[in-house]
Amino acid sequence: MGMDNNNLVEVENLVMYFPVTAGIMRRKVADVKAVDGISFYIKNGETLGLVGESGCGKTTTGRCILRLYEITSGKITFDGVDISKLNKEQMRNMRRNMQLIFQDPFASLDPRQTAGSIIGEPLQVHKLVKGQEYKEQVAELLKMVELEPRMSVRYPHEFSGGQRQRLGLARALAVRPKFIVCDEPVSALDVSIQAQIITLLLRLKQELNLTYLFIAHDLSVVRHISDRVGVMYLGRMAELTRSDELYDNPLHPYTQALLSAVPIPDPAVDRQRKRILLSGDVPSPIFTPGGCHFHPRCSVAMDVCKDQVPEFKDVGNEHWVACWRV
Amino acid sequence: MRLIPYPPGVIMGGEVIFKGRDLLAISEAEIRKIRGDEIAMVFQEPTTSLNPLFSIKTQLSESLILHRDMDKEGAAEESVKLLKQVGIPDAERRVNNYPHQFSGGMQQRIMIAMALTCNPDLLIADEPTTSVDVTVQAQLLDIIDRLRTEYGTAVIIITHNLGVIARYVDRVNVMYAGRLVESGETGALFAQPMHPYTMGLLSSVPRLDLPRKHELFVIGGQPPNLARIPPGCAFHPRCQFAIDRCRQEIPELEEITDGRHSACFRSRELPELVGK
Ligand SMILES: Nc1ncnc2c1ncn2[C@@H]1O[C@H](COP(=O)(O)OP(=O)(O)OP(=O)(O)O)[C@@H](O)[C@H]1O
Ligand SMILES: [Mg+2]
């Protein structure tokens, strides 16, 4: 993967299996191979997008980087530190630098806490402020996400979906992180509100010099917000490159099919496009196919694809792809 | 479809004309017959319309026997054929499975098969693809589209996905706060929206075919609260073109040009206003 001082996050051969148990003895009968050996890096100040079908392992990847799971194997480096080696105390300090925002901020906000205390809590937990400063900081954070300081006395249910996403973001920003995992932050929002949050995320990244891992289903949204995009399929990375390159020159058959499936909101353009139809469904992450995970649905699969895993390699200009055909 | 539970839902007025008859004026027995027979509906959540206790064959057959006067054997055969049509592999075997044995995308396909057991004149698809992935979404909508061309079924797609609209529909009705604000033929509407809400919507979504760094247009404010709809045009608090009249009077949906309707006092000047 090549060590580079400019990388904030480095993921090497990350594997995350969840055991499937059965019976009253909770005997392990199989593994869900949620993440099955992926490597990539995120540079300081960039946004790396992560796309792929439901269940392909995007959220799990994000949570592993934050070390919310004990990983099965592999190595995760954050800011030059191998975080899998950190003890609890060290990890708690490290976590200040890395935050998470989710699709449904309401589920993560305590309904009995006011907006102000939700946002201010991390400041107190990490002992970042004293007395008088506290109120000022909360007001400052609210302004940062374009809410009004007077809203700090309200409860989560008094906010709309888009406003709650702003609250979640303000809370994440309270500890002045370097890195935020944004897991489907706009997927549940009304189209008109999506644009508001995307624009806010882009502005904050610029102003606060943040680095994002941006996870989403919607390829158009991911391309818009990300500098580079990784495409996952069934626990593995199929392709990863600059956003423009991915959309102009997709090399993996799965990426090509995925892009062609996205309808463009302009009939004049969309009805001229060439379509690649994928047959079948995504296989189960428990009984994964041998060789390249995509081969059962791939129209150009060869014999080698059925039993040998293609290497994920750089084919030039930081365009990474895992396909025997390339 | 008269499926809104009463209470609390009440239809306050109006007409729903289907094949020349007002669906709001007919008896409960008559509407029930139309529902399964002439109008079919595909919902967002497949689990709401598939019965977990019966095999797919049983459920499809039952409807075929009822609506198409088939015998048991014929219905069983037709069930397999329908599953094949909606792209379920290994249909002969899978027809004996129960709903939970299928993935979400497959359940959606089965639901479409279910809707087709009655050869409907009208298929209403309510956000048929929100819970599935883009590749599956494309498969499902292609199936619906093929059925439309093959059997001449009329289709209503209810969605917030502008890409789906652009790809699959002939005519669009845009709704805001419980009212139609614009309607027209798809190509014309996308090329030249006539209501500020439609216009904002179209330029607020990122697009794969445009340069990446283009700035999104942001419609400010919050989506309308239906319990507290503002006076005048419901969109006026979020509209950059609002004038005094918009705050007082509700604009009616009226024909602006051939086949193009909009509910905005400023529709006719809009192209010029946007130019500025
Ligand atoms: N805590 C867990 N225990 C067991 N299995 C899990 C757990 N978390 C995730 N999985 C499984 O791991 C796989 C990957 O899940 P993950 O949530 O990472 O997918 P995703 O790409 O984020 O999907 P989505 O787009 O639907 O959010 C899925 O099959 C999921 O069911
Ligand atoms: Mg997820």
Side-chain angles (χ1 to χ4, degrees):
Chain A
M1 188 105 297
M3 285 294 169
D4 184 332
N5 293 339
N6 194 31
N7 291 346
L8 182 65
V9 177
E10 286 178 4
V11 174
E12 286 170 67
N13 294 318
L14 172 66
V15 174
M16 183 69 222
Y17 289 176
F18 295 102
V20 180
T21 55
I24 39 170
M25 303 300 288
R26 314 287 294 149
R27 194 169 42 87
K28 182 178 133 178
V29 289
D31 280 311
V32 176
K33 298 171 187 141
V35 175
D36 200 17
I38 62 174
S39 302
F40 62 92
Y41 48 86
I42 310 174
K43 297 175 205 171
N44 258 308
E46 85 169 340
T47 299
L48 179 73
L50 212 49
V51 297
E53 283 162 291
S54 185
C56 69
K58 304 179 294 291
T59 295
T60 306
T61 302
R63 298 183 72 96
C64 286
I65 294 176
L66 301 177
R67 217 182 128 184
L68 295 170
Y69 293 136
E70 286 308 318
I71 64 178
T72 307
S73 65
K75 184 174 167 192
I76 292 166
T77 314
F78 185 88
D79 219 0
V81 180
D82 179 353
I83 60 166
S84 46
K85 298 220 170 74
L86 299 182
N87 65 27
K88 265 202 168 133
E89 179 61 31
Q90 290 168 318
M91 194 57 222
R92 197 165 27 243
N93 285 326
M94 187 55 103
R95 200 157 280 138
R96 249 188 65 189
N97 296 312
M98 25 168 71
Q99 291 290 309
L100 173 64
I101 59 174
F102 323 72
Q103 171 167 0
D104 177 11
F106 197 54
S108 62
L109 304 175
D110 181 347
R112 289 155 310 182
Q113 253 183 314
T114 62
S117 81
I118 287 171
I119 297 170
E121 193 176 51
L123 292 171
Q124 289 172 323
V125 170
H126 290 281
K127 304 193 178 61
L128 296 178
V129 287
K130 20 181 179 334
Q132 186 53 33
E133 272 174 63
Y134 174 79
K135 263 189 128 164
E136 286 165 25
Q137 287 266 341
V138 169
E140 195 54 43
L141 284 162
L142 281 167
K143 276 193 260 172
M144 217 181 253
V145 296
E146 294 158 9
L147 291 175
E148 289 162 43
R150 64 180 169 80
M151 292 178 172
S152 71
V153 295
R154 296 192 194 162
Y155 292 90
H157 71 91
E158 298 175 72
F159 291 89
S160 69
Q163 289 175 326
R164 286 202 284 260
Q165 195 52 272
R166 290 172 196 270
L167 276 186
L169 190 56
R171 180 181 160 97
L173 292 173
V175 294
R176 302 180 184 281
K178 290 184 181 162
F179 175 61
I180 303 181
V181 173
C182 311
D183 192 356
E184 309 262 7
V186 298
S187 308
L189 303 174
D190 194 271
V191 180
S192 68
I193 306 302
Q194 279 195 6
Q196 294 180 359
I197 300 293
I198 291 170
T199 307
L200 175 66
L201 283 168
L202 285 170
R203 181 173 67 69
L204 288 171
K205 181 190 158 218
Q206 201 73 35
E207 287 175 13
L208 305 172
N209 197 18
L210 296 165
T211 302
Y212 292 147
L213 176 64
F214 189 91
I215 299 170
H217 273 104
D218 187 327
L219 280 93
S220 319
V221 168
V222 170
R223 168 179 179 262
H224 183 84
I225 207 164
S226 311
D227 301 302
R228 293 188 304 138
V229 177
V231 181
M232 286 185 76
Y233 187 80
L234 207 56
R236 297 196 187 136
M237 201 68 92
E239 183 161 6
L240 195 163
T241 183
R242 277 186 299 109
S243 300
D244 296 320
E245 174 76 1
L246 187 81
Y247 290 86
D248 295 342
N249 182 29
L251 295 177
H252 199 289
Y254 176 62
T255 314
Q256 292 168 358
L258 201 60
L259 288 174
S260 89
V262 179
I264 289 177
D266 182 349
V269 177
D270 190 69
R271 293 179 185 185
Q272 303 297 319
R273 285 173 87 220
K274 214 181 94 210
R275 303 269 309 276
I276 306 166
L277 283 184
L278 269 190
S279 56
D281 281 303
V282 188
S284 137
I286 301 175
F287 307 105
T288 50
C292 170
H293 278 171
F294 185 58
H295 87 257
R297 296 173 80 192
C298 181
S299 61
V300 295
M302 309 175 288
D303 276 344
V304 62
C305 308
K306 291 178 191 148
D307 41 47
Q308 287 184 52
V309 180
E311 190 193 342
F312 185 61
K313 59 175 189 280
D314 187 352
V315 295
N317 273 323
E318 285 192 285
H319 192 150
W320 297 76
V321 58
C323 175
W324 287 112
R325 280 283 188 183
V326 173
Chain B
M1 296 277 271
R2 297 208 351 221
L3 285 174
I4 309 281
Y6 164 82
V10 186
I11 296 177
M12 302 294 289
E15 289 177 328
V16 179
I17 309 294
F18 176 72
K19 297 208 289 189
R21 280 205 293 171
D22 182 1
L23 297 185
L24 301 185
I26 61 180
S27 72
E28 187 58 38
E30 284 173 299
I31 185 80
R32 210 172 304 136
K33 184 149 186 326
I34 287 181
R35 244 183 244 147
D37 213 38
E38 296 168 57
I39 307 179
M41 198 152 176
V42 181
F43 297 96
Q44 193 167 348
E45 276 300 316
T47 40
T48 52
S49 40
L50 294 173
N51 189 326
L53 300 178
F54 296 103
S55 74
I56 299 305
K57 182 156 84 189
T58 311
Q59 298 189 48
L60 291 176
S61 295
E62 191 186 327
S63 175
L64 285 166
I65 292 165
L66 187 73
H67 295 297
R68 287 208 221 157
D69 278 335
M70 288 188 163
D71 60 20
K72 213 170 157 203
E73 250 161 60
E77 245 170 65
E78 182 68 17
S79 302
V80 173
K81 225 176 97 194
L82 283 171
L83 282 195
K84 279 188 184 154
Q85 258 180 29
V86 297
I88 303 278
D90 197 12
E92 285 88 357
R93 204 173 52 82
R94 305 282 329 240
V95 75
N96 295 308
N97 288 163
Y98 290 78
H100 74 266
Q101 291 170 294
F102 293 91
S103 70
M106 286 171 125
Q107 287 184 17
Q108 295 250 355
R109 273 178 254 180
I110 293 168
M111 216 170 37
I112 296 173
M114 192 76 186
L116 295 174
T117 52
C118 61
N119 266 336
D121 296 312
L122 173 64
L123 177 69
I124 303 177
D126 185 6
E127 298 270 14
T129 57
T130 38
S131 55
V132 299
D133 292 304
V134 279
T135 56
V136 180
Q137 168 186 295
Q139 288 172 6
L140 290 172
L141 289 165
D142 286 344
I143 293 166
I144 293 180
D145 204 47
R146 216 177 46 232
L147 298 167
R148 180 185 63 80
T149 42
E150 275 173 29
Y151 300 105
T153 313
V155 179
I156 299 179
I157 296 183
I158 302 169
T159 181
H160 59 238
N161 186 326
L162 296 170
V164 166
I165 298 280
R167 182 172 286 183
Y168 295 97
V169 314
D170 301 308
R171 282 192 310 117
V172 195
N173 284 324
V174 182
M175 292 190 70
Y176 189 81
R179 282 175 169 262
L180 281 187
V181 293
E182 172 157 17
S183 77
E185 183 267 318
T186 310
L189 185 133
F190 276 79
Q192 176 72 269
M194 292 192 159
H195 193 283
Y197 175 61
T198 316
M199 201 176 265
L201 216 51
L202 291 180
S203 41
S204 69
V205 288
R207 285 173 49 163
L208 284 185
D209 61 317
L210 293 183
R212 184 168 86 83
K213 288 289 179 196
H214 82 277
E215 236 176 81
L216 299 185
F217 176 80
V218 176
I219 303 177
Q222 301 300 320
N225 176 345
L226 295 186
R228 263 183 290 153
I229 295 182
C233 169
F235 187 61
H236 89 251
R238 305 175 74 189
C239 181
Q240 56 182 321
F241 305 116
I243 48 177
D244 275 347
R245 191 174 173 202
C246 309
R247 297 180 187 99
Q248 290 143 17
E249 248 177 90
I250 299 181
E252 290 295 325
L253 188 69
E254 56 172 349
E255 186 156 11
I256 308 292
T257 58
D258 252 8
R260 297 293 309 282
H261 291 74
S262 170
C264 171
F265 296 124
R266 309 197 74 184
S267 280
R268 290 191 176 79
E269 346 160 34
L270 215 52
E272 197 190 324
L273 287 170
V274 173
K276 278 180 207 163

